[in-house]
Each structure stands twice: as C-alpha cells, then as structure tokens.
Amino acid sequence: MRRPSYLIAVALLVLSASIAFADEAVLIDFSLLGADIIENPVVEGTFTQNRATMMDFSAVAGASYTDEQKKQMAISLAITNWDVVLSSSSRTNENQALSYSREVKVSQEAARFPGAAVLGIRVHFPLEPFNAWARIQPPFEIPAFEAKADVADDGAITPKKDEQGSDPVNARLSRFEGAYDADTKVITAFGVVKNVGVIKAIAVNVKGLNFPHGLSVILKDHDGNEQIVFMGYLNFDGWRELRWDNPMYITDVRYRELRIDPLYPKASPFVKFAGFIITRDAATVGGDFVTYIKDVKILYDKAVLEPIRDIDDEAVWGIIGRREDDRKKLESQRFGAAQVLRYIEQQKQETKSVFTEPED
C-alpha cells in the first residue's frame, strides 16, 4: 500500500528540524590584505600598509620611546608584515633571514583566483635530517573588539562616532570582524568571526608545489586558548582546498550535550585567526620551501541563535571594553618593543651602507 504524500512531507520536516545546519564564514581572506597606503620610501610606486587593518600602538606606549620610535608602532595586517618564525633548533641567522612572507598576485589568466593577492611564504629549513617547523603569524594579535574607524592615506586612525556623535562605537561594530555587503556583494574577512559555537569544518585554499610538508591552522578562542588543526600535506601541484572535518561534531541535535553558559560580561564566543604552522619531517628534503595561501574558511554552529538583545549591556557597563583595553596595552608592550628593535636594526644597516669596503 502506498503511503500518503503528506505523511512523507511531515516526516521530512521532522527530520530536518532535528539536524543543525551550520553557517559558513570566511575567517581571513588575504586578497583583502594588499598594501594600499603609505608609499614605500625605497621602492617608488609601491605601498607598505593595508588601510582596512591599520593599527597604532603608540598611543598606549610608554614615555621612554622617542617620537621617531613611536612612528614604527603603526602597522597593519599587510601581507609583507606577517612574520615567519622558525623553531628554536632551526633558527640560525641564515635560516631566519631567508624565511619571510610576500604579497603575490595571481596571474589574470589563472583558472582560480585570477588577479587576486595571496600570501606567499618562503621558509628555509635546515639541510640536516631533523624535524623542524615554521610558524607564520600576523604582526600583532588580531583584536576581536576593535572599534570601527576611518583611516587616512597617511595611516592616521580616527574612531567613528555613534549616531549622537558622542562616544566611539562599541564592541558590536568590531573592525576586524567579517561582514557581507549586500550592495557591493563583497565579503570582508580580517581574522575574526563572532558568535561561534561548535566548529564543524575548516578549509584552506592553498597552492602546493609538491613539497611533502604538513600544513596546520592555528585558531584562538575567546578565552585565549589556541587550537592547532592539521589540514594535510602539500605534496601536490596547483591550487587545492584542504579540508578538516571535526570528528567530534554531532549532526543530530537530539544527541548533543546541552550547556547553558552566562552571556554578559562573558563575550559572545568567537574565533580569531592566529596563523599557520608548516612542519617538515626529518626524512624529507630540507632547504627552501615555498607555498601560497588565499584564504581560510570555517563551517560552524552559532552559539546564540538571536544575538540581538533589547539592552546594550556593553554600553551600560563597559566591562568588555576595559578588558580589551588591558589586552591592547599588553600587546603594545610586546609589539612596540619588537618594532623598536626592528627600527634600530634597520638604522644600523643604513649606517653600515654609507661605509665603503676597504681597498686591498
């Protein structure tokens, strides 16, 4: 006997209600991190910083820094500013000097991502047969609650005002948080995704050059905990999407463990991008390694189904804002000191260049 069609329809509705549909978001897109402001004084016609991600840590720096040194504390997530840090056993002067990032443009005739800017990575691993790794990380920890701002051509940052024009916008308008513009059909992704519950999958668009090295993604959550996710090996030629599927993800919501956590002042759960790790096995080839990365995407369940609330808790209490200010001060101490050391080293190199080699 044939079952009535309406019974089949009801069964499908019940089944779909018991299964959670995850949201997809671009965590970080390197095609948006091209340098577009502040002209390079060495190479005419090129730029050094990315307008959308410009940060200035000099405002919270100590009084011991000179004005010239404080100028070095203004930096962005421009691709060329990303650091490549080798493991301690591999970090010789030569290996570290030959390990860096570059902004690379894909050919207009390419089948995938034509004309897009991508993160180019060069790592010089030791030639000796021992395990090694390299961490590719942003020049500063990507802030999760940085207020929106207008950035001038010279890099000056002016926080935007609210509708009353009195106070800077609060944390809900984070500058590094991904968003979708319905008018321009453009997705912005600068390293932060808010309202993230359980991650179902992670995907990376990467170009391999037949190296047998491994690629991992580093994520950081709202509690500051890092998660290193191994994506796979790069022993292929051309662009490929490497995907990690969470083996602990439970699709059917009926079998999930129910947890109720306080909301405010605990921030809405988020994840931020913390970098990549390239691993080289002792049995594989050492020396130079090159790869290119376009973006990182995540598939996740929302932590809060309706994040919009009838009271702006942060505007009343300002707890999260104060915590973020404290984090920013700590970050400025670490980052500011590193930038000053780089500036001093650059000054030394420029001083050496004015001297000629002695004649024999």
Side-chain angles (χ1 to χ4, degrees), residues 291-344:
T291 192
Y292 307 93
I293 299 176
K294 166 64 168 57
D295 54 34
V296 179
K297 301 175 184 177
I298 61 173
L299 201 63
Y300 66 99
D301 291 340
K302 289 183 177 179
V304 182
L305 295 180
E306 297 180 1
I308 301 177
R309 306 177 65 79
D310 54 357
I311 295 178
D312 190 345
D313 302 295
E314 177 62 16
V316 177
W317 309 105
I319 298 175
I320 297 176
R322 284 192 291 271
R323 289 178 180 174
E324 286 300 308
D325 288 340
D326 292 338
R327 292 181 183 179
K328 190 174 180 179
K329 290 178 182 178
L330 292 174
E331 177 68 15
S332 69
Q333 294 175 1
R334 181 198 68 81
F335 173 77
Q339 283 297 102
V340 169
L341 290 175
R342 292 176 183 174
Y343 172 70
I344 294 174

Side-chain angles (χ1 to χ4, degrees), residues 26-34 77-80 82-84 100-106 112-113 115-123 134-137 189 202-209 213-218 229 231-234 236 238-242 273-279 289-297:
V26 181
L27 179 59
I28 190 165
D29 188 346
F30 290 99
S31 67
L32 304 176
L33 298 180
L77 293 182
I79 294 175
T80 52
W82 286 60
D83 296 322
V84 178
Y100 51 85
S101 62
R102 283 288 182 269
E103 178 184 339
V104 181
K105 288 293 182 67
V106 180
R112 299 188 65 183
F113 318 123
V118 296
L119 170 66
I121 302 169
R122 176 189 178 183
V123 181
R135 177 169 174 144
I136 296 87
Q137 61 189 23
I202 303 173
V204 180
N205 280 306
V206 56
K207 188 177 190 298
L209 295 173
H213 304 328
L215 173 67
S216 299
V217 169
I218 311 172
V229 180
M231 302 301 300
Y233 293 98
L234 302 174
F236 56 87
W239 287 100
R240 182 177 295 183
E241 183 180 84
L242 297 182
F273 180 72
F276 299 103
I277 291 183
I278 306 293
T279 55
F289 157 80
V290 173
T291 192
Y292 307 93
I293 299 176
K294 166 64 168 57
D295 54 34
V296 179
K297 301 175 184 177

Side-chain angles (χ1 to χ4, degrees), residues 15 24 35 122 159 170 181 243 281 308 346:
L15 178 62
E24 181 178 349
R122 176 189 178 183
N170 58 33
D181 192 324
R243 178 181 171 118
D281 188 83
I308 301 177
Q346 182 181 1

Side-chain angles (χ1 to χ4, degrees), residues 132-150:
W133 55 262
R135 177 169 174 144
I136 296 87
Q137 61 189 23
F140 54 87
E141 182 176 333
I142 300 175
F145 295 98
E146 182 68 17
K148 283 189 174 294
D150 293 318

Side-chain angles (χ1 to χ4, degrees), residues 242-258:
L242 297 182
R243 178 181 171 118
W244 171 82
D245 291 294
N246 186 356
M248 304 301 292
Y249 183 83
I250 302 175
T251 303
D252 197 327
V253 297
R254 294 174 299 180
Y255 303 112
R256 294 183 184 179
E257 180 182 355
L258 181 63

Side-chain angles (χ1 to χ4, degrees), residues 27 52-57 75-77 138-148 157 171 173-178 189-194 220-222 270-274 320 323-325 327-329 331 334:
L27 179 59
T53 59
M54 196 71 187
M55 290 285 289
D56 187 359
F57 294 94
I75 198 170
S76 68
L77 293 182
F140 54 87
E141 182 176 333
I142 300 175
F145 295 98
E146 182 68 17
K148 283 189 174 294
I157 302 173
L173 297 176
S174 173
R175 185 150 64 99
F176 290 79
E177 184 179 356
F190 300 117
V192 177
V193 175
K194 297 281 187 68
K220 182 174 286 191
D221 64 16
H222 53 282
F270 63 83
V271 295
K272 64 171 65 174
F273 180 72
I320 297 176
R323 289 178 180 174
E324 286 300 308
D325 288 340
R327 292 181 183 179
K328 190 174 180 179
K329 290 178 182 178
E331 177 68 15
R334 181 198 68 81

